[in-house]
Amino acid sequence: MSVKEEKKNPVETAVKEKEQVAAKLIPIYIMGKRYEVPEGLTIMKAMEYAGYILVRGCGCRGGTCGACGTFYRKPGDYKLQVALACQKTVEPDMYIAQIPFFPANRALYDFTKLTAAPEEVFKLYPELFRCVACNSCTKACPQGIEVMDAISALKQGNIAEAAQLSFDCIQCGLCTSRCFGELAQYHMFQLARRIYGAGIVPRAEHLAEMVKAVNGGKYDRFLDVLKRVKEDELKKLYQEREVEPMVAGEDWKPEDTTYL
Ligand code: FES
């Protein structure tokens, strides 16, 4: 755990005292120590309120980077719960321990030498077959991914299915922390998505054409013109540019086709 307690700052203490008037305080336990924090805060904000400086285990604060995997337990409940600290709000008497990093097995490979054959995954992660189908991984996933189903797909050699099922994985590692078979599901899924993207999903022809056009200098003179435009004018151009609508047909084109 890469957190440490901050020295008390008199100004912050005064601010906190003021906030206490407005917000109801509830007791929580961070690393076994009792604190009173305003209700409604996320675990991450409650830890900061309590004086912790998060130097690891804190990234996007928006539920997408997976850096803030956290365990907690509530009194009277034997069950250990998992959550993202930046998303889960505190509840009275929660016992909280954050796990900013989980030491899971991550295979090393030269991706350029891999094929799209299922055996590539089997060779790099033979422990895949230690899965006992207990489904603890699925229950631990804060993203609601059907983790065990994706592992089953990998065991059956269906990399595409595993890649699609795990698309929302944010690599928090909470699945792995609960796995009886000691699988690093999230690393296996990352490999599956890489193989899927590079060797299974059909190539985007239009993208290849566009890259060719860019490399062939088709847009060089437009870029030269833009480079000479003053910053204010550039901002205006950017703000007033024609944007593709959220729902647009395959044949959508801007009215001004100068740059196509
Ligand atoms: S800080 Fe990124 S998911 Fe919580």
Side-chain angles (χ1 to χ4, degrees), residues 44 58-68 84 86 170:
M44 187 172 280
C58 175
C60 66
R61 293 175 178 259
T64 55
C65 78
C68 64
L84 297 175
C86 70
I170 55 172

Side-chain angles (χ1 to χ4, degrees), residues 212-230:
K212 204 167 150 199
V214 171
N215 288 338
K218 183 175 175 184
Y219 298 98
D220 288 359
R221 75 189 162 91
F222 301 128
L223 289 170
D224 284 343
V225 172
L226 286 175
K227 277 190 224 162
R228 288 195 290 273
V229 174
K230 290 211 166 48

